[in-house]
Amino acid sequence: MSEEQFTEWVNRRSRLPLAVAGHSLTMRGDNLILIDRGQFVYEEALHIVRMLNSRNPVAQMSANVTIWERNGTLKFITLGIIALILVVVLLFAGH
């Protein structure tokens, strides 16, 4: 999905979802776009689309982390990592 196609999709105010690099974009209201249930204004969503379409893997990962932060997934990832660290610490402390 190119930047131009994204802009055209926004200008049409389409109610159909749009797929960009494995992520689902949905229009909500005049200036609100949901990306995987995370809320973004148009400018932020455009920046995310640019990063997802980038050939730079760091930019792509940054876009994914931003999406995860907005839709709440990052909290669960962080809690999972903390729980894993606690289990490892308790296992080593028991020996």
Side-chain angles (χ1 to χ4, degrees):
M1 173 60 55
S2 70
E3 187 178 323
E4 293 80 25
Q5 290 170 317
F6 171 76
T7 304
E8 181 181 318
W9 176 77
V10 169
N11 289 337
R12 283 186 292 147
R13 305 242 183 258
S14 177
R15 291 291 178 196
L16 297 174
L18 180 69
V20 178
H23 297 280
S24 176
L25 285 73
T26 309
M27 292 286 297
R28 290 285 165 94
D30 287 339
N31 197 29
L32 191 62
I33 298 169
L34 299 180
I35 303 176
D36 295 342
R37 299 177 320 274
Q39 296 184 3
F40 295 86
V41 294
Y42 169 77
E43 292 81 14
E44 294 171 327
L46 178 60
H47 185 66
I48 293 292
V49 168
R50 285 178 184 149
M51 291 191 321
L52 288 171
N53 286 329
S54 171
R55 298 179 99 186
N56 183 347
V58 175
Q60 293 172 356
M61 188 60 184
S62 179
N64 283 320
V65 170
T66 302
I67 293 168
W68 294 340
E69 186 269 328
R70 292 284 177 98
N71 70 13
T73 303
L74 191 59
K75 291 178 194 173
F76 291 114
I77 292 171
T78 304
L79 289 174
I81 291 171
I82 290 170
L84 181 63
I85 290 171
L86 285 174
V87 167
V88 169
V89 166
L90 290 175
L91 286 174
F92 281 119
H95 284 91

